Amino acid sequence: MPSALIIDGHPDALSLTAELARRYAAAHGDARILALRDLEFDPSLRFGYRQRMELEPDLIDAKRALAEAATVVVFTPLWWGSVPALLKGFFDRALLPQQEYRYSKLGLPEGLLPARNGRLFLLADTPWFLTPFTGLPAQTHVARGTLRFCGVRSVRTTRMLGVKDASPERIAPWLTRAESLGRRDGIRDSSRTPSGPAERQGSQAIAAEAASSSVVATS
């Protein structure tokens, strides 16, 4: 199993979010992209926590990947102060009590995911100079309220703002940044989990896709 699990929460494969995820994965060298748009699952937690829903095969596979990853990375746009319904639905369905988290006898949350490291790449059309007024609640939601809550020990956030009006010249450093962080994390992760032939072939396929894909200025 690859050492890094990359969750692409954008519904559009041609988005900048998806392209950044591909660039990070290609540079990492031992990563798997979990593109939620390609999964078949009901994103609605129909009974809340009163009754468990049967897990679809894609969710079972995703939960297994989460349970084995040393690094978990989430790529998402910021929509209406939150994340896309697709990503929120994945969190609702895949992260379950007694499996990814639990509460102690004192009522304190205990995360059960083994990942030591996490990253959040957050893209928003909001210009940087407006963030003191609007805030970025999705950053708190994903980094602290979800990843850290479920046990990911250290979560670093990379914010890319003003995406809607970004020129190719502005986008280029973002792509380079994703590759740089992916490469850095890959070096760190490789010292813990050696990759096998299957993982290397998967990373090569991701690299080929990243090299051939186009980039548009939409988060």
Side-chain angles (χ1 to χ4, degrees), residues 79-94:
W79 290 352
W80 293 108
S82 186
V83 299
L86 178 64
L87 179 57
K88 180 59 168 62
F90 174 77
F91 288 152
D92 288 347
R93 291 292 318 283

Side-chain angles (χ1 to χ4, degrees), residues 14-27:
L14 298 180
S15 65
L16 178 58
T17 301
E19 177 64 13
L20 287 164
R22 289 189 287 265
R23 296 292 183 103
Y24 177 97

Side-chain angles (χ1 to χ4, degrees), residues 83-112:
V83 299
L86 178 64
L87 179 57
K88 180 59 168 62
F90 174 77
F91 288 152
D92 288 347
R93 291 292 318 283
L95 305 177
L96 300 176
Q98 310 307 319
Q99 297 180 20
E100 284 72 35
Y101 69 92
R102 65 188 175 200
Y103 290 96
S104 69
K105 293 181 179 180
L106 297 177
L108 300 176
E110 297 179 351
L112 301 179

Side-chain angles (χ1 to χ4, degrees), residues 16 20 160-163 166 170-179:
L16 178 58
L20 287 164
M160 298 169 180
L161 307 178
V163 174
R170 180 164 174 75
I171 291 174
W174 292 342
L175 297 170
T176 300
R177 177 66 171 163
E179 292 172 341

Side-chain angles (χ1 to χ4, degrees), residues 1-50:
M1 179 66 67
S3 61
L5 179 66
I6 299 165
I7 300 173
D8 175 1
H10 203 298
D12 184 5
L14 298 180
S15 65
L16 178 58
T17 301
E19 177 64 13
L20 287 164
R22 289 189 287 265
R23 296 292 183 103
Y24 177 97
H28 185 284
D30 185 29
R32 173 187 174 183
I33 294 180
L34 191 68
L36 301 186
R37 58 184 169 271
D38 296 334
L39 307 188
E40 293 186 7
F41 71 100
D42 184 351
S44 177
L45 193 63
R46 298 189 176 276
F47 309 107
Y49 293 99
R50 175 178 60 84

